[in-house]
Amino acid sequence: MKYAIAAAAFMAVSSGAASAATIVNSFDNDAEGWTVSGGNLTWQATGGNSGGYISIADGTGTFMQASSGSSFLGNLSAFDGGMFSFDAIQTAQGTSGSYLSGFGIVRLSGGGITASLDFFTVYPTNTWQTASVLFDAATWGLSQLAWD
């Protein structure tokens, strides 16, 4: 199956604290360090959900994975209780005529722990959709001890 996906026009983690710290990748100037395996990533200056975006095309007909740039790496404990959100769209169907199943699964890993969450119960098709969830242990299926 071949798919073309425009993903993450806007990717953010915001703090639940009063300081409201935020990590944002707007993709307005470049791909902001994002990479992809199993596909091809291109940066688009316009057409996103308010500006630029990254587009990922399936190059192998199998599993694809996008990895964040350095802004999302490191200790994110200051964002505990905040929100994790991104905008996504699937711009092309596969050769079977269906949209990509499994699209929108986000995996966090570090410190020997991995958590994943499927952001979409209905996969985005030809319009931008925003996915947003709490950035906390319970939402990501971990104990607070493991999350910390």
Side-chain angles (χ1 to χ4, degrees):
M1 289 185 222
K2 298 287 184 187
Y3 295 93
I5 301 168
F10 172 81
M11 178 77 82
V13 177
S14 62
S15 170
S19 65
T22 303
I23 301 172
V24 174
N25 284 159
S26 65
F27 305 111
D28 287 339
N29 299 308
D30 59 29
E32 300 190 34
W34 283 73
T35 60
V36 67
S37 59
N40 303 303
L41 182 145
T42 55
W43 169 73
Q44 305 292 328
T46 61
N49 200 13
S50 78
Y53 68 97
I54 56 174
S55 176
I56 302 167
D58 186 355
T60 63
T62 60
F63 180 78
M64 289 187 301
Q65 176 177 318
S67 298
S68 70
S70 62
S71 60
F72 285 94
L73 302 179
N75 183 347
L76 300 178
S77 61
F79 301 95
D80 190 18
M83 296 299 293
F84 183 97
S85 62
F86 65 95
D87 294 340
I89 187 173
Q90 287 193 68
T91 57
Q93 295 176 333
T95 54
S96 67
S98 63
Y99 285 93
L100 182 63
S101 64
F103 177 81
I105 296 174
V106 174
R107 185 179 71 208
L108 305 174
S109 59
I113 302 295
T114 299
S116 63
L117 189 64
D118 189 348
F119 275 68
F120 294 104
T121 55
V122 176
Y123 299 112
T125 54
N126 58 2
T127 59
W128 286 101
Q129 292 184 32
T130 299
S132 188
V133 298
L134 281 172
F135 193 70
D136 66 6
T139 301
W140 291 82
L142 295 174
S143 70
Q144 192 61 46
L145 181 63
W147 185 257
D148 291 340

